[in-house]
């Protein structure tokens, strides 16, 4: 497709939103929207691989989502396990490696086993790292980061005045990955919903009214083109950026 080759975001993060409303508009139960959202995940993965994106982070389940009706939570967990079993082979064929972001200790044993399975099965993937944010929230992560650094300080491993931005980033659950270059949120909502608050400091934001189950490869390419039209200044002037 016709996205230009230059200036591809290395890391794209997506808040996949609007499954419930999509289902409602089709006169169906919310879970029907989640089921149709799986095809959109495939679209996002394929488009990422095709465009040469190296990291794709998908917000799949927030810590706040535990508050939803039990049947919906259970159906989501079931869908996650089913998708892991069904998608493993295609992910491997595409060179995708799956990694998990979030506190998996609260997930059921069955879900934890499936997560380990997909990590193992795809560990050789070297084209795209697909990061699934599950039972994730940014405030959970930031709190955990503070606890970890405080523990190291208390143990005398680090002096408080040595703590800098790298220390903080290095104690986040995302330490192994670069910050997102582009954030996409579907469904018309314009908020971050507790997602990657530290990491999105200089990320380009892209909002679309499309509901997640309607998200196609062409929609992904549209977001990439929007990204390519932007100037990331990082606090400097345009002239300074050009001279770099
Ligand atoms: C996103 O769609 C999927 C999850 C949060 C798991 P929603 O389920 O939030 O759909 P809406 O926002 O209610 O339409
Ligand atoms: C954000 O969507 C979480 C995920 C996409 C997993 P929500 O639908 O839960 O967010 P709010 O409640 O609209 O902020
Ligand atoms: Mg929602």
């Amino acid at each position: 497709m016709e996205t230009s080759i230059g200036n591809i975001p290395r890391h794209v993060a997506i808040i996949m939103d609007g499954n419930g409303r999509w289902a409602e508009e089709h006169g169906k139960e919310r879970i029907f929207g989640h089921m149709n959202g799986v095809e959109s995940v495939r679209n996002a993965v394929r488009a990422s691989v095709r465009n040469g994106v190296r990291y794709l982070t998908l917000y799949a389940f927030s810590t706040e989502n535990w508050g939803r009706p039990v049947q919906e939570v259970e159906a989501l967990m079931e869908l996650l396990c089913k998708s892991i079993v069904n998608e493993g082979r295609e992910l491997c064929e595409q060179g995708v490696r799956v990694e998990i972001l979030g506190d998996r200790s609260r997930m059921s044993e069955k879900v934890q086993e499936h997560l380990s399975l997909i990590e193992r099965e795809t560990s050789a993937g070297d084209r795209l790292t697909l990061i699934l944010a599950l039972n994730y929230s940014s405030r959970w992560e930031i709190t955990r980061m503070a606890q970890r650094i405080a523990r190291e300080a208390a143990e005398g491993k680090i002096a408080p005045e040595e703590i800098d931005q790298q220390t903080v980033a290095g104690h986040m659950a995302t330490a192994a990955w670069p910050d997102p270059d582009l954030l996409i949120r579907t469904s018309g909502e314009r908020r971050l919903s507790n997602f990657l608050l530290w990491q999105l400091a200089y990320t380009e934001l892209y909002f679309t009214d499309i509901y997640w189950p309607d998200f196609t490869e062409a929609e992904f390419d549209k977001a990439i083109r929007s990204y390519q039209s932007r100037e990331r200044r990082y606090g400097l002037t345009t002239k300074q950026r050009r001279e770099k």
Side-chain angles (χ1 to χ4, degrees), residues 2 18 62-63 79 108-110 153 165 168 186 200 209 218:
E2 75 289 10
S62 73
T63 56
L79 184 62
S108 73
E109 222 162 274
K110 179 182 163 186
Q165 294 190 19
V168 172
T186 57
L200 295 176
D209 289 341

Side-chain angles (χ1 to χ4, degrees), residues 2-240:
E2 75 289 10
T3 29
S4 73
I5 316 147
N7 195 21
I8 292 295
R10 188 147 78 115
H11 185 171
V12 175
I14 307 183
I15 301 176
M16 311 182 288
D17 199 15
N19 295 352
R21 280 163 284 167
W22 184 91
E24 225 163 79
E25 284 185 12
H26 288 74
K28 300 269 174 53
E29 297 287 323
R30 293 177 57 86
I31 183 63
F32 188 73
H34 298 312
M35 284 159 61
N36 277 271
V38 176
E39 180 60 27
S40 303
V41 171
R42 285 190 204 107
N43 292 336
V45 170
R46 288 185 193 130
S48 293
V49 170
R50 172 170 49 72
N51 279 292
V53 170
R54 302 306 303 258
Y55 299 86
L56 175 66
T57 297
L58 300 178
Y59 202 8
F61 193 86
S62 73
T63 56
E64 287 78 18
N65 290 148
W66 289 113
R68 292 194 179 190
V70 186
Q71 305 92 295
E72 182 170 343
V73 171
E74 279 176 3
L76 277 167
M77 294 300 152
E78 201 46 52
L79 184 62
L80 172 66
C81 291
K82 229 177 87 189
S83 303
I84 284 174
V85 172
N86 291 340
E87 305 301 322
R89 183 204 288 242
E90 191 186 331
L91 290 173
C92 286
E93 283 169 2
Q94 291 182 97
V96 178
R97 173 196 178 101
V98 176
E99 299 190 359
I100 309 298
L101 166 63
D103 180 6
R104 59 174 97 188
S105 69
R106 196 175 160 188
M107 317 293 261
S108 73
E109 222 162 274
K110 179 182 163 186
V111 171
Q112 291 192 44
E113 278 166 19
H114 278 76
L115 297 180
S116 304
L117 171 79
I118 194 73
E119 283 173 321
R120 251 183 291 125
E121 201 182 352
T122 63
S123 62
D126 58 3
R127 287 185 79 183
L128 174 72
T129 301
L130 172 60
I131 300 154
L132 297 180
L134 287 164
N135 191 20
Y136 173 83
S137 82
S138 199
R139 288 182 175 180
W140 160 78
E141 183 189 32
I142 289 170
T143 305
R144 196 186 76 137
M145 172 274 297
Q147 287 174 351
R148 293 171 76 190
I149 295 178
R151 201 175 305 123
E152 287 180 25
E155 289 168 354
K157 290 182 184 154
I158 185 168
E161 56 279 9
E162 281 172 6
I163 297 169
D164 57 14
Q165 294 190 19
Q166 251 124 24
T167 319
V168 172
H171 286 74
M172 290 290 190
T174 54
W177 312 306
D179 289 341
D181 300 293
L182 171 65
L183 172 83
I184 299 170
R185 182 169 188 150
T186 57
S187 90
E189 308 298 354
R190 285 165 164 77
R191 55 175 170 262
L192 296 179
S193 302
N194 216 349
F195 191 46
L196 300 173
L197 302 180
W198 164 271
Q199 296 85 347
L200 295 176
Y202 265 110
T203 302
E204 295 297 326
L205 308 181
Y206 178 87
F207 298 103
T208 167
D209 289 341
I210 298 263
Y211 290 143
W212 181 248
D214 288 329
F215 192 81
T216 56
E217 286 197 49
E219 291 297 332
F220 187 95
D221 291 347
K222 227 159 99 182
I224 299 271
R225 279 197 296 275
S226 167
Y227 172 83
Q228 288 171 328
S229 73
R230 314 218 187 155
E231 184 191 16
R232 303 180 75 184
R233 285 193 288 277
Y234 299 97
L236 305 185
T237 65
T238 298
K239 187 163 171 280
Q240 285 175 307

